[in-house]
Amino acid sequence: MVRPLLPVPGWMQGQGGQPEAHCHRAMLDAIGYRVDNGIKWRAMPADFPPWDRVNAFFRRWRDRGLIREFHDRMRGQVRE
């Protein structure tokens, strides 16, 4: 549902850079966990990627308007 919205990493488009160390699904799960439980970034459980990487992804996606779009799509599906 949200996969088409996720940006394609530069290294996959031949623009250089390193492959990402954590998958986007793990980042989405960590962001959802933080929102659901109201924890601080630094209190992120060790099961998730490091809090600073999750925070960086969140800020990048928020600035591009993706977080709102994720929320809208999921809300729409829940209402169906």
Side-chain angles (χ1 to χ4, degrees):
M1 177 174 46
V2 297
R3 180 179 289 272
L5 298 174
L6 294 172
V8 178
W11 66 272
M12 291 182 79
Q13 297 176 337
Q15 298 174 351
Q18 294 181 350
E20 295 172 347
H22 306 285
C23 71
H24 288 161
R25 174 61 191 253
M27 295 298 180
L28 282 171
D29 289 345
I31 292 167
Y33 182 87
R34 182 186 181 275
V35 170
D36 185 46
N37 293 295
I39 63 171
K40 296 179 180 178
W41 284 113
R42 291 179 187 257
M44 191 73 67
D47 298 346
F48 294 115
W51 72 269
D52 56 338
R53 296 304 314 141
V54 177
N55 186 20
F57 270 77
F58 172 77
R59 285 184 285 119
R60 187 178 325 147
W61 291 346
R62 180 199 61 204
D63 294 346
R64 292 181 183 172
L66 294 177
I67 296 295
R68 182 176 303 274
E69 185 64 29
F70 295 156
H71 181 263
D72 291 346
R73 285 187 180 208
M74 287 187 258
R75 182 184 59 227
Q77 185 171 2
V78 167
R79 289 187 176 175
E80 290 177 4

